[in-house]
């Protein structure tokens, strides 16, 4: 398993935690980031790795990658 993959998996776990704390769904995250919900779902299930999406999510949720 590559380092980047591990980083993404840890980041996604933290995003899920933050969404739970805020009681947000993927639709809320999509609205806050300006990305389509399909893009958010693809990123969150690991089928799409994108630094741009990750950085935008991190900014919206005030977390680090």
């Amino acid at each position: 398993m590559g380092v980047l993959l591990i980083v993404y998996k840890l980041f996604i776990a933290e995003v899920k935690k933050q969404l739970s704390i805020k009681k947000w769904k993927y639709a809320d995250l999509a609205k806050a980031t300006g990305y389509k919900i399909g893009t958010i779902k693809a990123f969150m299930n690991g089928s799409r790795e994108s630094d741009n999406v990750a950085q935008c999510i991190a900014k919206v949720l005030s977390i680090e990658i």
Side-chain angles (χ1 to χ4, degrees):
M1 187 179 289
V3 174
L4 184 60
L5 185 59
I6 293 168
V7 170
Y8 268 112
K9 286 190 178 289
L10 291 171
F11 178 70
I12 288 169
E14 181 62 23
V15 170
K16 288 179 180 180
K17 177 181 160 188
Q18 293 301 318
L19 292 178
S20 177
I21 290 168
K22 290 178 176 286
K23 297 182 175 26
W24 276 18
K25 301 201 178 306
Y26 289 165
D28 299 308
L29 186 57
K31 185 176 181 181
T33 60
Y35 284 101
K36 294 179 182 178
I37 192 164
T39 301
I40 297 297
K41 285 180 180 179
F43 180 83
M44 293 300 292
N45 72 24
S47 64
R48 178 172 187 215
E49 294 178 6
S50 168
D51 289 339
N52 290 337
V53 174
Q55 290 191 17
C56 191
I57 290 172
K59 184 176 179 184
V60 164
L61 296 178
S62 300
I63 59 176
E64 291 186 23
I65 299 174

